[in-house]
Amino acid sequence: MPRRRPHPDGDLTIVIPLYNEAQALPYFVPNLIKVCRSKGWTVIFVDDGSRDETARLLTDFGKHPLVHVVRHKLNKGYGAAIKSGVSAAVTPYVLTMDGDGQHRLSDVAAIHELARKSDADLVIGSRNQAPHANWYRELGKWLIRMFTRFLVPLPIRDLNSGLKIYRTELVKRYLHLCPDSMAFSDVITLLFLNQRHLVLEYPIEVQPRVAGSSSISTQTAFETVIEVLNLVMLVNPLRIFLPLAFVCVLAGLLWGIPIMLLGRGVSVGSMLAIVLGALFFFLGLIASQLSHIRLSLARSGGTGTKQEAGS
């Protein structure tokens, strides 16, 4: 589908990933299109292989000149839908929001204004915990935040908020490093932080879902942990290998020294632990060098250009 030219006065594209959101669309899309028409913003709906009436409803909404619809024949995942929408954006800023009607348009306008005034590269709509929040999900989010903070310095409070505004040129550069799953939100934020881009937060209020239910599950949390590990291996592998090396060497010394003091020679087990620690250390150095090379390509846009060309 050819890309539409943005409104001459609009500098923002709103990307909304959708999967089986037919019940929610009639409640918030008409007002969204009305606001976008007044501000000259572009909207890209990405139908990620929905099996309900989402595609039919988008056919009607897509008739507006500022609305663009991208369709996946099969469900590829939240991250894949975001990637398709962002790749089609041609405005200086691109904003992602959920398709369940939970985000307020007043917050969209506020973080857009903050991004422009502060010259920020990423602004995150930071949610306050709602009274109706599920304790099980909140506990999972807290555990993921603690795990992530252990691996990556994290000054951001709401890592996986669905409401974010990016500088389009930058986010396109990192799309090929992000997963197709729900972990996209966490990974893209960590990439911006790791690459020392200006990342800000803006407090927002989240409304109850208009209809339907969330697809986030325990499996989603597990996938997020795996993707965070993959990201740390990409951007800062020594954060993983150095603690492993230290623990192995320390364990080897604590095990071997008492045996030596008793005059029983060198313990094979302690030597094995020390050698394993040395291996972890040198593997970390090699992985760190490979990480610098790959990230240099990402900054230059070399790999990112190939990705965009294939989108």
Side-chain angles (χ1 to χ4, degrees):
M1 205 171 206
R3 296 180 183 178
R4 288 185 171 90
R5 294 179 61 83
H7 189 280
D9 298 324
D11 65 346
L12 177 67
T13 296
I14 299 176
V15 173
I16 304 178
L18 300 168
Y19 180 63
N20 294 339
E21 295 287 2
Q23 297 180 48
L25 288 176
Y27 287 93
F28 77 93
V29 172
N31 192 36
L32 170 66
I33 293 178
K34 180 180 178 181
V35 171
C36 290
R37 183 189 295 119
S38 66
K39 295 181 176 293
W41 295 344
T42 302
V43 184
I44 298 178
F45 293 105
V46 184
D47 177 14
D48 190 29
S50 297
R51 293 172 294 179
D52 59 1
E53 295 297 307
T54 297
R56 182 185 63 80
L57 292 172
L58 289 180
T59 299
D60 296 331
F61 294 133
K63 295 177 182 178
H64 192 278
L66 291 178
V67 176
H68 179 34
V69 178
V70 177
R71 288 192 172 90
H72 292 169
K73 293 181 180 179
L74 298 175
N75 179 250
K76 297 182 179 181
Y78 174 82
I82 293 290
K83 290 180 185 180
S84 295
V86 170
S87 296
V90 294
T91 51
Y93 293 98
V94 59
L95 179 142
T96 60
M97 62 183 294
D98 295 339
D100 53 16
Q102 288 189 303
H103 293 140
R104 304 185 308 170
L105 293 179
S106 57
D107 289 329
V108 170
I111 68 171
H112 175 231
E113 186 65 21
L114 175 61
R116 294 177 62 182
K117 286 185 174 180
S118 63
D119 197 29
D121 300 309
L122 167 60
V123 179
I124 301 170
S126 181
R127 300 162 294 181
N128 292 318
Q129 183 173 340
H132 58 273
N134 184 297
W135 71 267
Y136 178 72
R137 285 181 58 185
E138 292 303 319
L139 175 62
K141 290 178 182 178
W142 180 83
L143 290 174
I144 289 174
R145 281 198 299 269
M146 293 302 102
F147 173 74
T148 305
R149 283 189 177 130
F150 174 74
L151 294 174
V152 184
L154 188 63
I156 298 300
R157 192 182 67 83
D158 192 358
L159 185 65
N160 57 1
S161 171
L163 185 61
K164 294 184 175 77
I165 185 170
Y166 309 86
R167 195 174 298 278
T168 306
E169 178 187 3
L170 286 178
V171 69
K172 284 187 175 183
R173 190 181 300 173
Y174 301 124
L175 287 181
H176 68 287
L177 300 175
C178 298
D180 291 342
S181 63
M182 289 293 295
F184 177 94
S185 292
D186 304 75
V187 171
I188 191 66
T189 305
L190 293 174
L191 280 169
F192 269 71
L193 290 169
N194 181 268
Q195 296 304 298
R196 298 293 188 266
H197 298 304
L198 178 58
V199 179
L200 303 177
E201 284 188 288
Y202 181 86
I204 64 170
E205 293 183 16
V206 177
Q207 305 170 135
R209 285 182 65 95
V210 174
S213 59
S214 173
S215 59
I216 297 176
S217 63
T218 303
Q219 181 181 353
T220 303
F222 179 75
E223 291 173 352
T224 299
V225 169
I226 296 299
E227 292 298 342
V228 169
L229 279 173
N230 286 334
L231 177 65
V232 175
M233 284 296 296
L234 170 67
V235 300
N236 190 8
L238 286 175
R239 193 80 179 182
I240 294 176
F241 283 106
L242 280 183
L244 287 175
F246 176 78
V247 169
C248 288
V249 171
L250 182 62
L253 292 174
L254 292 177
W255 185 359
I257 289 176
I259 296 175
M260 291 181 63
L261 292 177
L262 291 174
R264 295 165 56 185
V266 179
S267 168
V268 175
S270 66
M271 287 303 298
L272 180 61
I274 292 172
V275 170
L276 187 60
L279 285 175
F280 278 135
F281 176 73
F282 288 112
L283 282 174
L285 291 180
I286 295 171
S288 182
Q289 291 299 314
L290 294 174
S291 167
H292 287 311
I293 293 172
R294 189 171 181 186
L295 289 174
S296 295
L297 289 174
R299 291 190 200 99
S300 64
T303 309
T305 303
K306 293 179 183 177
Q307 168 71 18
E308 290 165 30
S311 297

